[in-house]
């Protein structure tokens, strides 16, 4: 990742950059600071995501078509990887149904696992990962198993797709050399982020800040309900002056506790587009794209796997150091993208299903942060 330093929060230059380039608004007095004063540890990155699926053979076909490499394969588990050196991106274990299990975060140092185990009353154990390692198993307030790992070995780098050489205006680095990007899978470089829905947004947010040392890049709030606090947060890892992904984890309040999507970096826009054509030719369904986001600025393209789980190809995302304060913006569908086609009902989860209706009823009856005003606010945001 590249490194950069920005002006200290509160300086005139920092406020101008914050308002003009990052978000239209900053925090009001007394609003959530977006970070913990004294976190237990500071995780370095998202290591991998864990899923269960009944058909590993079908999962492997989609994984290769989407652009993953295979790190390891057994009768009971499939480990997927990108081209960058490091840990795998995903593990799919054989199970009865297709479902998301939880995320695994990478500890900056092995000693962080001991500190985390002492603080949470857990223990350090051997991790089931290619090359070996150690892990601490936790449970977040939403009920997701969260694993913090330290890998004994890194996977070596693989050959990458090279970005196309582009001509701009009067700058013409490419002459006498036509471009013909091959129709092939986008080659995944690495895991970027995961997005989760939770009924206990505030408790979950504070847990990730206090326990794992993550910090907020952007907050979103419901129209007319800012005084009740945010309903979505984009969290990044805190690596000090080293600039990292705008978000590694995003969470939003909703009637369910569940996986929304995960995102995987590819080389450039041509890789996104050509890989999308490859997926479409093989009968997979695009959920939304191609476009460019507002929070995070990523070029994006969303797809459904054969089990209806959503995955994203992305490129050219924002990188923030620890100095940048959170942005605040209203939550709306039109606020999701700078350009691109309108967000689809499939992407928004706006088509009611029996399970979704059960989630709403259970959430409104339960001990959580969902109530009729919040529900109406979310419905309004989805149509604004």
């Amino acid at each position: 990742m590249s490194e950069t330093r920005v002006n200290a929060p509160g300086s005139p230059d920092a406020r101008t950059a914050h308002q003009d380039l990052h978000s239209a608004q900053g925090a009001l007095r007394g609003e959530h600071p977006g970070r913990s004063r004294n976190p237990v540890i500071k995780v370095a990155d998202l290591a991998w995501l864990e899923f269960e699926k009944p058909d590993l053979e079908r999962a492997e076909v989609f994984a290769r078509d989407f652009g993953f490499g295979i790190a390891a394969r057994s009768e009971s588990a499939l480990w997927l990887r990108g081209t960058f050196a490091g840990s795998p991106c995903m593990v799919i274990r054989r199970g009865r149904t297709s479902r998301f299990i939880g995320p695994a975060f990478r500890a900056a140092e092995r000693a962080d696992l001991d500190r985390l185990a002492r603080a949470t009353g857990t223990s350090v154990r051997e991790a089931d990962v290619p090359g070996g390692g150690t892990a601490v198993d936790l449970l977040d307030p939403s009920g997701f198993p969260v694993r913090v790992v330290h890998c004994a070995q890194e996977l070596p780098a693989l050959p990458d797709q090279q970005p196309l050489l582009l001509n701009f205006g009067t700058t013409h680095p490419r002459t006498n050399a036509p471009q013909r990007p091959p129709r092939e899978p986008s080659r995944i470089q690495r895991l970027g982020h995961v997005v989760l829905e939770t009924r206990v947004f505030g408790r979950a947010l504070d847990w990730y800040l206090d326990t794992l040392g993550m910090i907020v890049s952007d907050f979103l709030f419901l129209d007319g309900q800012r005084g009740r606090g945010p309903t979505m947060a984009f969290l990044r890892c805190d690596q000090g002056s080293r600039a990292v992904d705008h978000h590694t984890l995003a969470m939003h309040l909703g009637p369910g506790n569940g996986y929304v999507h995960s995102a995987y970096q590819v080389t450039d826009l041509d890789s996104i587009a050509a890989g999308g054509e490859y997926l479409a030719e093989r009968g997979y369904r695009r959920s939304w794209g191609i476009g460019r986001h507002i929070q995070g600025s990523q070029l994006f393209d969303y797809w459904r796997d054969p089990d209806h789980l959503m995955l994203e190809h992305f490129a050219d995302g924002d990188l923030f150091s620890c100095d940048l304060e959170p942005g605040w913006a209203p939550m709306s569908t039109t606020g999701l993208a700078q350009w691109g086609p309108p967000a689809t009902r499939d992407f928004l989860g706006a088509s009611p299903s029996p399970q979704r209706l059960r989630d709403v009823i259970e959430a409104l009856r339960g001990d959580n942060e969902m109530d009729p005003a919040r529900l109406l606010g979310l419905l309004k945001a989805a149509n604004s």
Side-chain angles (χ1 to χ4, degrees):
M1 290 183 181
S2 62
E3 294 191 16
T4 186
R5 290 183 181 272
V6 299
N7 295 302
S11 71
D13 288 341
R15 286 195 297 272
T16 300
H18 174 81
Q19 292 170 354
D20 294 345
L21 299 178
H22 172 30
S23 176
Q25 304 180 51
L28 303 177
R29 185 180 297 276
E31 287 188 316
H32 200 298
R35 62 186 70 199
S36 174
R37 290 182 178 272
N38 188 29
V40 178
I41 65 168
K42 293 183 178 182
V43 292
D45 204 352
L46 191 58
W48 64 78
L49 303 177
E50 302 205 6
F51 293 84
E52 283 186 356
K53 289 178 179 288
D55 190 338
L56 293 188
E57 290 70 25
R58 185 173 71 164
E60 182 173 348
V61 171
F62 173 79
R64 292 184 184 275
D65 288 342
F66 195 74
F68 290 106
I70 307 302
R73 178 74 155 83
S74 70
E75 285 298 314
S76 60
L78 175 66
W79 288 88
L80 307 178
R81 62 161 299 171
T83 59
F84 285 2
S87 64
C89 292
M90 182 189 299
V91 57
I92 304 173
R93 305 187 192 279
R94 194 181 299 277
R96 295 178 59 185
T97 61
S98 179
R99 67 189 185 105
F100 174 67
I101 303 300
F105 291 88
R106 179 168 61 85
E109 300 177 356
R110 169 60 180 81
D112 284 345
L113 295 187
D114 297 318
R115 185 179 305 111
L116 185 62
R118 287 195 300 271
T120 58
T122 55
S123 59
V124 181
R125 65 167 183 81
E126 293 298 313
D128 174 20
V129 57
T134 48
V136 171
D137 293 325
L138 306 171
L139 198 67
D140 81 359
S142 305
F144 291 114
V146 175
R147 186 164 293 166
V148 181
V149 301
H150 187 269
C151 295
Q153 298 180 23
E154 284 195 343
L155 297 171
L158 297 176
D160 204 359
Q161 280 176 322
Q162 294 304 305
L164 296 187
L165 189 63
L166 303 179
N167 291 330
F168 295 101
T170 58
T171 303
H172 304 141
R174 179 175 56 83
T175 59
N176 298 327
Q179 303 230 73
R180 302 292 185 269
R183 192 66 59 85
E184 63 182 7
S186 305
R187 203 168 304 171
I188 301 299
Q189 295 174 327
R190 64 182 180 92
L191 168 62
H193 62 260
V194 63
V195 179
L196 304 175
E197 178 180 305
T198 173
R199 299 173 182 169
V200 291
F201 172 81
R203 278 185 277 163
L205 170 65
D206 288 342
W207 186 88
Y208 281 96
L209 304 187
D210 294 338
T211 308
L212 304 186
M214 305 186 80
I215 56 180
V216 175
S217 297
D218 277 291
F219 282 120
L220 301 183
F221 57 88
L222 294 177
D223 183 41
Q225 299 187 34
R226 182 166 181 171
R228 295 188 63 184
T231 49
M232 185 166 188
F234 297 84
L235 289 75
R236 67 189 186 274
C237 298
D238 182 358
Q239 293 198 31
S241 62
R242 185 183 185 191
V244 301
D245 288 340
H246 170 273
H247 57 283
T248 302
L249 167 68
M251 294 187 299
H252 70 78
L253 178 66
N257 289 321
Y259 168 90
V260 179
H261 76 260
S262 52
Y264 305 86
Q265 180 177 291
V266 300
T267 302
D268 58 12
L269 179 57
D270 278 277
S271 176
I272 291 175
E277 292 297 307
Y278 184 90
L279 287 168
E281 289 172 353
R282 279 150 185 78
Y284 300 110
R285 184 162 62 86
R286 174 180 274 122
S287 180
W288 181 36
I290 298 172
R292 186 181 282 277
H293 279 306
I294 293 179
Q295 278 78 26
S297 303
Q298 301 95 337
L299 295 163
F300 65 81
D301 196 20
Y302 293 91
W303 292 84
R304 293 286 185 179
D305 77 358
D307 297 302
H308 203 63
L309 295 175
M310 191 189 300
L311 294 87
E312 174 190 2
H313 285 143
F314 81 92
D316 189 36
D318 289 337
L319 301 176
F320 286 0
S321 69
C322 71
D323 305 294
L324 204 65
E325 59 187 307
W328 287 74
M331 197 173 189
S332 69
T333 296
T334 55
L336 291 173
Q338 302 176 41
W339 57 261
T344 64
R345 291 180 62 82
D346 178 75
F347 175 82
L348 296 171
S351 299
S353 65
Q355 181 58 54
R356 195 61 170 170
L357 294 176
R358 286 193 292 269
D359 286 342
V360 169
I361 294 170
E362 184 177 334
L364 292 176
R365 290 176 174 174
D367 179 18
N368 55 66
E369 297 167 30
M370 285 295 299
D371 57 36
R374 284 304 211 192
L375 179 60
L376 289 174
L378 290 169
L379 291 172
K380 181 180 177 181
N383 290 283
S384 63

